[in-house]
Amino acid sequence: METELCPGEHEKRVVETNEPELKQAYTGPGDKDSQKEKELSHGPQQEDTEPHGEGDPRIECQGGGNAGTTLNTFPVPEKTETPCVEERKLKKTLSFVKTVRFCETESVEDRESSEESLFPDHEMVQWISSSFVELFLAEDWEDITDDRLLRKKVLAPGPQKAEHPAWGQEVTVKMQGVLEDRSVVEKDRKLVFVIGEGDVNQALEECAIAMQQDEITLLLADSQYTYGLLGREPDIPAWAPLLYQLQLLNIREKPDPLILPMSDRIRIGNQKRERGNFHFQREEYSMATRAYWMALDVLTTRTKDGGNAVLEEGEEVQDYRVKCLNNLAAAQLKLEQYDDALHTSRDVLSLDPQNVKALFRTGKLLSDKSEYGEAMEILKKALKLEPSTKVR
């Protein structure tokens, strides 16, 4: 099987192989050099987790409503019957607790064992049984966006003169989200995210910045502000609007990565990298690269005083940095940013000179630039490390 040297440019080929590992080594992101992806289209691999269908409710799809959008998504039926409260109790789905966190919360098992609402004092008819069509047309709701596809209703205002968060600040919210049949698909007592960094879907970001501290509100979000065309397997269908209950618990400035302990840098950096993998799998490559760059900003060994972390911690950060750079290079290739992908692959080799994935990718990209001498040297080194691959 002949393997292409670089996506989008097929004039020059130097590698032929009967083994799938060669193509995988320089075209798909992954966490370990010895771990091969099935195909690039399967997305970045993650350590100890299945990359497909992560179901992260805090990761947005590409949203942003247009001012001219109508409510055609929500046709009003000829006859609408509203179930009584007793008949329409909240239901859970298997993955409603999956979320990327920046702080420790109670365990998944603890939260799954309880069906109690996070807002027992605010279970009004709009939350329990009203149709989403009625809520989108209701006059007593406030429009967050001009297209009327992102709306809120304050249930309990914050204290007088309470502050609003700003873009770039870190907020903590208590939230739960349901589909129109009231299946609970998202739930977190302490969801922490930075507004504007895409840590959560666009609906939650837009609502948070419109809230006061301690405010409790209902949020109704059209699918284009949540999970859009693709939905989120296995619990959120395509084009599904969501209804949230939210409380803004805390507002603070975003922590400086240089003053964070190395363990926190690794945790936050990996969460952002996993979010990039989520977008990669959805073929949202621009959003994936953005997430990978934010992860790299956190995954640094530098300290506030200009020094470096202790050796053991520094090596662990570098290992995760290599994984993130390899994922970034794969996303750049998908965007046909070949020079950027070559630069990123060289960054990998500066940290790990024997990284087989980066060696194959670098050699392939150099060959496409007609730099055959250097390309062959790099590919020979890669083949020496992976002798099962055949080269002619």
Side-chain angles (χ1 to χ4, degrees):
M1 178 181 69
E2 193 174 42
T3 305
E4 296 176 3
L5 294 180
C6 188
E9 296 183 9
H10 313 286
E11 291 79 12
K12 309 172 186 68
R13 296 177 173 84
V14 297
V15 180
E16 180 175 325
T17 177
N18 293 320
E19 301 291 334
E21 287 85 351
L22 179 58
K23 179 178 179 181
Q24 295 162 357
Y26 54 68
T27 58
D31 287 351
K32 297 183 180 179
D33 296 327
S34 60
Q35 178 184 357
K36 301 297 189 295
E37 304 89 338
K38 294 180 180 179
E39 292 291 342
L40 177 62
S41 59
H42 289 182
Q45 297 298 299
Q46 299 179 39
E47 202 170 39
D48 300 326
T49 60
E50 288 293 333
H52 182 67
E54 285 182 35
D56 187 336
R58 296 187 45 201
I59 303 178
E60 64 173 303
C61 73
Q62 202 158 4
N66 298 322
T69 306
T70 66
L71 296 179
N72 292 339
T73 310
F74 309 100
V76 180
E78 294 181 1
K79 182 177 180 181
T80 302
E81 295 184 1
T82 303
C84 66
V85 171
E86 290 76 18
E87 292 176 342
R88 201 164 190 175
K89 295 182 180 179
L90 298 183
K91 297 181 290 182
K92 293 193 304 177
T93 58
L94 293 177
S95 64
F96 78 92
V97 292
K98 295 181 181 178
T99 184
V100 174
R101 288 182 189 79
F102 289 80
C103 64
E104 295 298 327
T105 61
E106 74 267 39
S107 69
V108 169
E109 291 79 8
D110 290 341
R111 284 184 290 139
E112 284 191 333
S113 66
S114 173
E115 295 187 10
E116 294 181 1
S117 169
L118 298 184
F119 301 89
D121 297 330
H122 297 279
E123 293 199 355
M124 70 294 299
V125 65
Q126 291 97 329
W127 174 251
I128 296 296
S129 60
S130 293
S131 74
F132 283 7
V133 172
E134 294 172 347
L135 301 184
F136 273 110
L137 299 175
E139 295 296 330
D140 57 344
W141 284 61
E142 173 187 346
D143 293 321
I144 299 177
T145 56
D146 293 338
D147 55 19
R148 294 177 61 87
L149 298 180
L150 194 62
R151 315 191 76 203
K152 60 175 283 194
K153 180 176 182 179
V154 177
L155 305 180
Q160 190 175 11
K161 297 182 179 180
E163 65 177 324
H164 291 264
W167 290 100
Q169 287 187 313
E170 183 183 270
V171 296
T172 304
V173 301
K174 178 168 66 172
M175 73 91 179
Q176 57 189 11
V178 298
L179 297 170
E180 189 162 14
D181 67 359
R182 272 45 182 191
S183 298
V184 180
V185 291
E186 296 186 341
K187 189 174 183 180
D188 203 315
R189 286 181 170 84
K190 288 184 178 180
L191 177 65
V192 183
F193 60 93
V194 177
I195 298 176
E197 291 196 356
D199 295 331
V200 294
N201 63 47
Q202 187 178 355
L204 294 178
E205 284 193 330
E206 296 281 0
C207 188
I209 205 168
M211 296 176 69
Q212 291 179 300
Q213 184 160 343
D214 297 326
E215 176 183 318
I216 300 175
T217 192
L218 288 178
L219 170 67
L220 181 64
D222 179 74
S223 62
Q224 65 181 279
Y225 289 99
T226 55
Y227 299 98
L229 169 65
L230 299 178
R232 189 194 69 198
E233 293 184 351
D235 52 356
I236 300 180
W239 303 121
L242 295 176
L243 178 64
Y244 291 96
Q245 280 183 313
L246 301 170
Q247 182 178 16
L248 181 56
L249 301 176
N250 188 43
I251 305 168
R252 70 168 185 165
E253 295 301 319
K254 174 185 173 182
D256 184 348
L258 299 184
I259 64 175
L260 289 174
M262 286 296 140
S263 58
D264 287 345
R265 298 187 197 187
I266 292 171
R267 174 174 53 85
I268 295 173
N270 277 332
Q271 288 168 349
K272 290 183 179 293
R273 178 176 60 87
E274 289 166 2
R275 180 161 43 84
N277 293 352
F278 176 90
H279 288 303
F280 190 101
Q281 293 165 352
R282 295 166 67 91
E283 299 183 4
E284 299 163 349
Y285 301 120
S286 293
M287 298 177 73
T289 58
R290 181 170 178 260
Y292 293 142
W293 278 120
M294 288 191 292
L296 290 168
D297 287 341
V298 179
L299 293 170
T300 175
T301 58
R302 291 184 296 114
T303 56
K304 193 71 174 178
D305 59 5
N308 283 288
V310 298
L311 182 61
E312 183 176 350
E313 290 180 329
E315 288 180 350
E316 187 175 4
V317 170
Q318 297 291 52
D319 288 343
Y320 286 113
R321 191 174 179 85
V322 165
K323 297 172 185 178
C324 193
L325 285 167
N326 268 328
N327 290 1
L328 173 61
Q332 290 169 331
L333 285 174
K334 285 291 190 179
L335 294 169
E336 299 184 358
Q337 298 171 350
Y338 302 123
D339 289 341
D340 290 339
L342 177 58
H343 185 275
T344 301
S345 298
R346 289 190 186 277
D347 286 344
V348 174
L349 296 177
S350 70
L351 298 173
D352 181 6
Q354 296 189 350
N355 189 283
V356 175
K357 189 181 301 296
L359 286 169
F360 276 119
R361 187 179 286 127
T362 301
K364 194 167 177 291
L365 289 168
L366 286 171
S367 177
D368 285 343
K369 293 169 68 71
S370 300
E371 299 179 20
Y372 301 117
E374 185 179 2
M376 288 304 297
E377 289 300 317
I378 291 175
L379 289 171
K380 286 178 181 177
K381 181 177 180 179
L383 292 168
K384 185 176 181 180
L385 295 169
E386 293 285 348
S388 61
T389 303
K390 299 177 181 180
V391 175
R392 68 173 183 179

